[in-house]
């Protein structure tokens, strides 16, 4: 399999549905990899793996993880969490360009059409030690998590998956538009009207892509 610009680790079927245009599906022992082009970027989407999150990709300049986690107020179902730190994994350092793009994203850029409210993006959250153990192995350039509530409502869980997928895809489209040439950093203009909160701590995440919890610092 050829090298790609971005590898996205996610079990969210919504991410694959949102990928338009020509797609290439690569079947391998660890799962199925879907490769598509977003502007100048070649992007691979793979399911999480306990041993290696991108075992089917020989090289990826950036690696993203898109999953879900439960949230407590002020986090609402359908919001997106972008942690800036993973406790116990000092090697995790969010890609500066991706983090700037996430900060500049407006709700209109990514909110799924069926959402009845305008979701928020919570930046600067902290991923705890227990959640780090449940993440797939490997380093990530950015982690994107859709928020669900403390219940198990399948509709809310589906909304969280859709939020993470839509935000990740919009982020990649913005990266492609700002880069023009794959691998060249783009210029990002902050959007002061965008609702962003910080200081959220994630806890008790389970199974990487499909569970977890969010608590505010005491």
């Amino acid at each position: 399999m050829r090298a790609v610009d971005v590898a996205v680790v996610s079990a969210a079927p919504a991410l694959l549905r949102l990928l338009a245009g020509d797609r290439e599906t690569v079947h391998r022992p660890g799962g199925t990899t879907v490769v598509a082009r977003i502007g100048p970027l070649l992007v691979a989407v793979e399911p999480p793996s306990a041993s290696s999150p991108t075992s089917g990709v020989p090289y990826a300049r950036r690696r993203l993880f898109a999953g879900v986690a439960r949230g407590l107020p002020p986090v609402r179902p359908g919001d997106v969490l972008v942690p800036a730190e993973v406790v116990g994994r000092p090697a995790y350092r969010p890609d500066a360009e991706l983090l700037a793009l996430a900060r500049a994203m407006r709700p209109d850029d990514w909110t799924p059409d069926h959402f009845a409210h305008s979701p928020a993006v919570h930046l600067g959250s902290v991923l705890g030690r227990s959640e780090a153990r449940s993440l797939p192995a490997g380093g990530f350039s950015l982690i994107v998590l859709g928020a669900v509530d403390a219940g198990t409502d399948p509709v809310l869980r589906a909304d969280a998956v859709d939020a993470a997928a839509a935000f990740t895809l919009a982020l990649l489209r913005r990266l492609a538009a700002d880069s023009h040439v794959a691998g060249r950093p783009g210029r990002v203009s902050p959007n002061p009207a965008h609702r962003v909160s910080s200081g959220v701590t994630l806890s008790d995440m389970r199974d990487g892509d499909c569970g977890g919890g969010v608590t505010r610092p005491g």
Side-chain angles (χ1 to χ4, degrees), residues 93-101 141:
R93 292 289 184 272
D95 181 280
E97 184 180 5
L98 292 179
L99 201 58
L101 288 172
S141 305

Side-chain angles (χ1 to χ4, degrees), residues 135-148:
L135 285 173
F140 294 100
S141 305
L142 200 70
I143 295 173
V144 177
L145 300 169
V148 297

Side-chain angles (χ1 to χ4, degrees), residues 171-196:
L171 187 73
L172 292 175
R173 286 174 174 165
R174 183 71 179 271
L175 177 66
D178 285 3
S179 297
H180 300 293
V181 177
R184 178 177 298 173
R187 296 180 179 178
V188 180
S189 300
N191 174 26
H194 180 43
R195 295 186 298 121
V196 174

Side-chain angles (χ1 to χ4, degrees), residues 21-181:
D22 294 334
R23 299 188 301 181
E24 175 187 355
T25 301
V26 179
H27 299 281
R28 54 185 179 79
T32 300
T33 300
V34 175
V35 181
R37 187 167 291 281
I38 300 177
L41 301 178
L42 194 62
V43 178
V45 180
E46 295 191 319
S49 169
S51 58
S52 176
T54 53
S55 57
V57 179
Y59 174 78
R61 185 170 183 266
R62 292 179 168 102
R63 300 176 191 237
L64 279 67
F65 179 79
V68 300
R70 286 196 298 269
L72 295 176
V75 179
R76 298 183 300 170
D79 284 358
V80 163
L81 303 139
V82 181
E85 178 183 350
V86 177
V87 177
R89 290 194 182 181
Y92 173 67
R93 292 289 184 272
D95 181 280
E97 184 180 5
L98 292 179
L99 201 58
L101 288 172
R103 190 178 300 277
M105 293 272 280
R106 302 169 301 177
D108 288 348
D109 294 334
W110 65 274
T111 303
D113 292 338
H114 63 277
F115 272 34
H117 70 282
S118 180
V121 178
H122 303 267
L123 294 167
S125 49
V126 178
L127 201 64
R129 192 179 301 274
S130 60
E131 306 93 303
R133 286 196 296 268
S134 64
L135 285 173
F140 294 100
S141 305
L142 200 70
I143 295 173
V144 177
L145 300 169
V148 297
D149 65 5
T152 57
D153 187 325
V155 174
L156 293 179
R157 179 168 291 276
D159 282 350
V161 172
D162 288 347
F167 185 88
T168 300
L169 183 59
L171 187 73
L172 292 175
R173 286 174 174 165
R174 183 71 179 271
L175 177 66
D178 285 3
S179 297
H180 300 293
V181 177

